[in-house]
Amino acid sequence: MFTVANLVWMKPVGAAFFYLIGLLVLRKDTRYSLNQLFGLSFLLFGTCQLFDFLKDVLWAYGYLAIVISRDISAITGIFSTGLFLLVGIYVRYGAHRALNRTTLGVSLLGWTILSVIAVIDQTIDPVPHSVLLTQIDTGFFGMIALFVMTSVFVIASTIILFSSSRDLTDPTKRRSILNLSLGMLVLVIGAIAYGLEGVLFTTVDPVTLMYRLAISLTGLIAWLIGSILCLLAFRHRF
C-alpha cells in the first residue's frame, strides 16, 4: 500500500541538495561575509529538512527522539529563513546595516522567540499513524511562528532584492540579484507546497495519497530549481 513513508525520501534528497549549494557558495569565497551569510542559511535549511525526515523515521529510538527531531527542524527552519532576510538587507543596504550589533541582536532575539512559540504551541502524537507517520497538531500561534513568519522573511527578502535590482546599471550584478530574488521566490513556493501537502490532505485513501505525492514532488522540484538559481547568483560578487 502506498503510504507517506513513500514520500519521506524526498526530504533527505532536498537536504543533501541544500547542503551542497551552501557549501558551494561558501567555497566560492569563504572570506566574503555575504557568502558566509547565505551559505549558513542554506546549511541550516538543509538541517531543517534532514530533521524533518528524522522525525518520521526515528520511532524505534523512542518518542523523545521524535520530539527533539521536530524541534530542531522547526528552529533551524526559522533561523534559516531569518538569514534569508538578512541576505536581502545585506545586498540592498550593505554589510554595515545587515551585520551590525543592533540588527543581529534584534534578529536573534526575534528568531529565538518565534522558535520558542513554535516548539511550545504544538502537540506530537505519542505513537505514529500507520499510514501518515508522525502526526503533529500545531496551534494558531505555532502556525504563525513556523509558517507565516518564515514565509514573510523570505518574501520580504525577495521584495528587497527585486527593488534593489532596479537601481543597478551593471548588467552582471543586476542579473545576479534577479537570479537570487527569483530563486528565493521559488523556494517559498516549494515551502508552501510542502505545507499544503500536510495540511490539506489528512485522509489515507490511495487517491489522496497520490495527490500528496504530486504536491511533494512539486515542492521538491521547486526547491531544486530555486537552489540552482541562487547558486547561479553567486557566480559573481555582488
Side-chain angles (χ1 to χ4, degrees):
M1 178 181 180
F2 180 80
T3 71
V4 175
N6 299 111
L7 306 178
V8 296
W9 64 268
M10 300 182 193
K11 295 174 182 177
V13 170
F17 204 79
F18 291 131
Y19 282 134
L20 177 62
I21 298 298
L23 292 172
L24 287 174
V25 170
L26 286 172
R27 186 174 179 271
K28 185 73 176 179
D29 190 343
T30 57
R31 293 174 296 179
Y32 187 25
S33 54
L34 180 59
N35 287 50
Q36 295 170 354
L37 191 64
F38 185 84
L40 178 59
S41 69
F42 256 58
L43 293 177
L44 284 177
F45 200 51
T47 302
C48 169
Q49 291 307 300
L50 175 62
F51 279 90
D52 193 46
F53 162 72
L54 292 176
K55 78 158 186 354
D56 280 319
V57 300
L58 290 183
W59 283 100
Y61 296 93
Y63 180 65
L64 181 60
I66 302 302
V67 173
I68 292 174
S69 296
R70 166 64 177 184
D71 291 349
I72 293 175
S73 175
I75 292 168
T76 52
I78 289 170
F79 273 71
S80 66
T81 54
L83 288 172
F84 283 158
L85 178 56
L86 289 186
V87 167
I89 295 173
Y90 187 117
V91 173
R92 183 70 175 90
Y93 302 105
H96 67 284
R97 188 72 63 85
L99 301 180
N100 65 63
R101 291 184 178 180
T102 301
T103 302
L104 289 177
V106 171
S107 297
L108 290 172
L109 177 61
W111 303 341
T112 300
I113 292 173
L114 291 175
S115 296
V116 171
I117 294 172
V119 167
I120 291 177
D121 195 20
Q122 65 176 0
T123 302
I124 304 174
D125 289 354
V127 293
H129 190 281
S130 59
V131 176
L132 301 177
L133 303 180
T134 302
Q135 292 295 281
I136 302 168
D137 181 22
T138 305
F140 174 78
F141 293 106
M143 292 286 288
I144 295 295
L146 187 56
F147 299 110
V148 175
M149 291 307 301
T150 53
S151 296
V152 167
F153 289 156
V154 182
I155 292 172
S157 181
T158 302
I159 293 172
I160 292 171
L161 289 168
F162 268 122
S163 64
S164 64
S165 68
R166 295 182 300 178
D167 300 329
L168 294 174
T169 56
D170 186 331
T172 300
K173 290 185 177 181
R174 182 182 177 88
R175 190 181 309 111
S176 293
I177 291 181
L178 286 174
N179 280 335
L180 182 58
S181 56
L182 182 58
M184 287 187 170
L185 181 61
V186 176
L187 289 175
V188 171
I189 293 173
I192 292 174
Y194 272 104
L196 290 175
E197 176 267 321
V199 172
L200 295 181
F201 304 110
T202 57
T203 58
V204 296
D205 61 277
V207 174
T208 297
L209 291 174
M210 288 303 298
Y211 280 127
R212 292 189 69 162
L213 175 61
I215 293 178
S216 293
L217 282 172
T218 300
L220 179 61
I221 293 170
W223 278 350
L224 297 182
I225 294 173
S227 299
I228 292 172
L229 288 170
C230 290
L231 180 61
L232 291 175
F234 280 86
R235 287 184 301 173
H236 309 283
R237 179 183 279 251
F238 289 94

